[in-house]
Amino acid sequence: TLRREKDHTMDPLTTCVLSFQLLCFSGPELGAGVSAQTAEVATAQQPAWRPDKASSVLTQVQAFYDGTTDLDAKFSQTYWNPSYGSNTKTNGKLKLKKPGMMVWDYAGKSDADYYADGKELAMVEHDTRQVIRTDVASNNELTAAMKFLFGGQKLLREFKVRYAKDDRIKKYGDKDHHVLELKPKAKNKHYKGLVLVVHATTGRVDSFVVYNTDGSSNYFQLRDIRTNSGIPSKAFTFKNKKGYVETRE
């Protein structure tokens, strides 16, 4: 998860955007078209119309991010820990920029922040004054997560997709958003799948849920989203502060 539990090493950014599970995959193959009758039915939880195929919405998502050079937003995160049967809520600010740059700046002093400048990932623990650095290229899970955020690899090549079932549409959807379920075609030991809540008009992802193989999940909600505002590249590099201990993994 993006949150790092103090008693174990985190898989950085697997949950960050984009890294994923579906609880049930019985029924039609993901991406199969829905009936015209289903597509035209409007409820309080979904837009009045949606494309027959969920893959069409995913293509719209890809197009949105292909046309985005940078993005910043406020986020809230709800982490479900099945071992304790509890939710932990955090919040902060997110910055993204092509190629492969991101910052997850958590508001809480006890929560680690994450800086990726395209080559290196730095996890910064302010409460313990530790900085852990790792190469982006050596982290396969981080590379996979970035495919969603930065395009380059087409989403339809990497994921199976279908419209979410009614319970998830009711929980996460509304009249302005489609709810998609994604499953990576290649098995990943860290995550199972993802739910995307996609703005029906723009293709922007306004919230998403990451389901991890250990049974935990992360629900991210984005707000005050701005795109193509010219974020400087230096904003994605963490410069070590006095008194901080730096290590490399």
Side-chain angles (χ1 to χ4, degrees), residues 71-75 92-96 102-105 222:
L71 179 150
D72 65 273
K74 296 177 182 178
F75 72 87
K93 296 179 180 179
L94 169 67
K95 293 185 178 70
L96 306 172
M102 64 177 73
V103 174
W104 292 82
D105 181 6
L222 306 181

Side-chain angles (χ1 to χ4, degrees), residues 172-191:
Y172 299 114
D174 58 38
K175 63 182 180 63
D176 296 317
H177 292 84
H178 300 299
V179 183
L180 303 181
E181 295 177 339
L182 277 70
K183 181 181 180 181
K185 293 180 179 179
K187 186 176 180 180
N188 186 289
K189 64 180 180 180
H190 297 284
Y191 62 81

